[in-house]
Amino acid sequence: MPRELTPSSCTPLTLAECIAQLDEHGFEPADERSLQHAASLLAGLAANRGFLGDLMIDLLAGAEDQASGYGPQAIMLAGPRKGYFLRANIWPARGDPAFQASGAASFVYGLPHDHNFDFLTVGYFGPGYVSDYWEYDYASVSGEVGEHVDLRFVERSRLREGRVLHYRAHRDVHCQHPPESLSVSLNICAANPAQGWFDQYRFDTEAGRIAGVLNASANEVLLRLGVALGGEDARHCAEHFATHHPSAAMRRVASGMIRSE
């Protein structure tokens, strides 16, 4: 499951202070010092109990334009920069109007999945969502839908206020469930241009299989359209990609297109 971290400091930080320090030092999750430094910054931001409410009011009043909506449940606090981005996630309970209007799928509840990037998260407000956690070996699978995966169940636990977790790319799988009441988490997410070449999967945990790929890239779509609309050169490109492209996802897509002809 995600690694639980104990920050060395929880001194309250403003959003500007947190961003400035992350900009100065970056976020490199493979580096233990960088990881621990970022965890302390995230804990410090979470210790600032008023910053997010004030920011939301400023957004509604039109006085703040640096943060922007990121989806049906997220607020971007700092866009991609220096190897990271910073966001706040809103987690409605089952009885909340947003859940009733949009349904569980809009908030990724009940969807076992991994991530193709590392990120830190901390419980900021409310009891926190509950997750079932598994681990698996990304390198051991080819990514075919229906492929068997050795998912190892770890535990079910809650992201309570102040708890800091490190979600590890291509290793930690979780299935989130709605909190008992409205909750908020804060994330520092790694932002690497290369991560788009790596698959993110959803899983059938009962059958222990890959149920789908969540992040089909624009390049995959372009290849499909190019082959469908093009001539021999497009087919030759697909054949070359099927055996030589450095991305396993692109090799798999190209191979499937060739087999289907």
Side-chain angles (χ1 to χ4, degrees), residues 29-249:
D31 183 301
E32 185 66 18
R33 290 182 63 184
S34 177
L35 184 70
Q36 293 292 345
H37 180 256
S40 293
L41 294 179
L42 190 63
L45 185 60
N48 183 337
R49 306 307 298 160
F51 92 93
L52 189 59
D54 291 341
L55 177 63
M56 289 178 173
I57 295 302
D58 287 343
L59 286 170
L60 289 171
E64 175 62 66
D65 58 8
Q66 292 182 345
S68 62
Y70 181 68
Q73 69 176 123
I75 297 172
M76 187 72 83
L77 302 175
R81 61 218 279 156
K82 303 288 185 179
Y84 80 95
F85 63 90
L86 181 63
R87 69 186 178 190
N89 285 334
I90 315 299
W91 303 100
R94 291 187 183 277
D96 289 335
F99 185 100
Q100 297 292 321
S102 301
S106 296
F107 304 98
V108 204
Y109 292 144
L111 179 71
H113 63 284
D114 68 348
H115 295 270
N116 62 349
F117 57 92
D118 286 74
F119 69 95
L120 296 175
T121 189
V122 63
Y124 179 67
F125 173 81
Y129 63 77
V130 173
S131 277
D132 294 314
Y133 291 109
W134 296 260
E135 293 182 5
Y136 84 111
D137 179 10
Y138 179 83
S140 70
V141 302
S142 63
E144 298 287 346
V145 175
E147 180 181 359
H148 180 266
V149 180
D150 182 21
L151 290 171
R152 301 176 293 279
F153 181 74
V154 180
E155 69 172 27
R156 170 177 285 198
S157 65
R158 183 186 305 277
L159 184 67
R160 64 184 182 275
E161 288 185 13
R163 188 184 190 196
V164 180
L165 298 177
H166 171 207
Y167 280 80
R168 299 162 295 182
H170 308 304
R171 180 172 175 178
D172 295 313
V173 174
H174 71 144
C175 181
Q176 294 159 285
H177 307 287
E180 295 175 357
S181 61
L182 183 71
S183 298
V184 179
S185 63
L186 307 177
N187 297 158
I188 299 174
C189 303
N192 185 331
Q195 68 196 35
W197 290 107
F198 296 95
D199 286 333
Q200 179 186 11
Y201 302 124
R202 61 183 175 89
F203 297 89
D204 180 339
T205 54
E206 292 187 3
R209 298 186 182 278
I210 293 175
V213 178
L214 295 176
N215 66 322
S217 73
N219 289 315
E220 294 175 32
V221 176
L222 288 175
L223 180 63
R224 293 182 188 277
L225 289 173
V227 171
L229 300 175
E232 282 300 308
D233 287 346
R235 177 179 171 79
H236 291 158
C237 179
E239 291 173 344
H240 177 76
F241 279 9
T243 55
H244 295 93
H245 201 282
S247 166

